[in-house]
Amino acid sequence: MSIAENLKTLRQDIPENVKLVCVSKFHPVDELQEAYDAGERIFGESRVQELTEKQPQLPTDIQWHFIGHLQTNKIKYIAPFVSLIHSIDSFKLLKEIDKQAAKNNRTIDCLLQLHIAEEDTKFGFTRDELVQLLESDDFAQLQNIRVVGLMGMATYTDDEKQVAKEFADLKNIFEEIKNRYFNDVDTFKELSMGMSQDYKIGITQGSTMIRIGTAIFGSRGY
Ligand SMILES: *Cc1c(COP(=O)(O)O)cnc(C)c1O
């Protein structure tokens, strides 16, 4: 199946209000161009160097999302153009993004990543750490970042009930945080959950943004 055909199939499963992030890591720019030509405008990358190499080679109306684990010393390379960072897992990171955003005279949209899976290997805040962060004076000082929602990755398992439960937990935390801290603004509205293997469950559980790689571009040759 071609990329265009994969996208066509995929779109049949995605409601209007759910955004598709085409996860293009490890795929060459001509494949991203194919997805672009098929109408896609949001691309997700997980490595800074790869993203900064690809970005100048592709059309300027692409919204680049960063979805991987981010090191503070590399933020400066993507700060001029990145449109959303999904993977904020520490205050330190948020603070440095704020600094680099200010240097570029812009505001950078961010999602706070929650640790919802069983595996220890995945990154993210617990619910309590998140509350602590949002109530801190340090957080209140940040001027050039905007927290627009949450992101989470479910356990990698065939057990759909478990995945549904983890996504439902994340959705509950999302609603709680929205009501407690972002009630007066309409900016906190994105819930990034669901990948190739579990996006249908993600959508059922209230996802607004799915991050799909393999189901669009095929398997990655690491
Ligand atoms: C690679 C990656 C994806 C896409 O995974 P697929 O299984 O290929 O759809 C989604 N989210 C994150 C954070 C990733 O690193």
Side-chain angles (χ1 to χ4, degrees), residues 42-129:
I42 308 177
F43 290 83
E45 290 282 338
S46 62
R47 297 185 305 173
V48 167
Q49 191 182 344
E50 186 175 347
L51 173 53
T52 53
E53 277 171 19
K54 285 174 171 173
Q55 185 263 342
Q57 302 182 57
L58 285 153
T60 53
D61 63 341
I62 288 178
Q63 298 164 44
W64 292 99
H65 289 196
F66 192 84
I67 62 168
H69 189 58
L70 186 55
Q71 289 167 285
T72 46
N73 61 341
K74 294 195 174 158
I75 296 163
K76 56 177 179 283
Y77 302 115
I78 61 170
F81 65 87
V82 72
S83 90
L84 179 64
I85 300 175
H86 287 237
S87 41
I88 307 295
D89 57 6
S90 71
F91 174 72
K92 190 176 152 221
L93 194 56
L94 210 50
K95 191 175 170 182
E96 183 63 20
I97 293 168
D98 185 68
K99 184 175 147 193
Q100 297 299 334
K103 275 194 184 167
N104 287 278
N105 286 315
R106 59 188 299 247
T107 299
I108 296 180
D109 286 349
C110 297
L111 302 178
L112 302 175
Q113 183 171 355
L114 252 85
H115 188 282
I116 53 169
E118 261 176 10
E119 298 125 300
D120 287 338
T121 48
K122 299 208 165 119
F123 297 99
F125 296 101
T126 63
R127 179 238 170 242
D128 292 350
E129 288 166 348

Side-chain angles (χ1 to χ4, degrees), residues 34 37 97 99 127 136 148-149 155 183:
E34 252 180 89
D37 293 340
I97 293 168
K99 184 175 147 193
R127 179 238 170 242
S136 70
V148 299
T155 304
N183 214 0

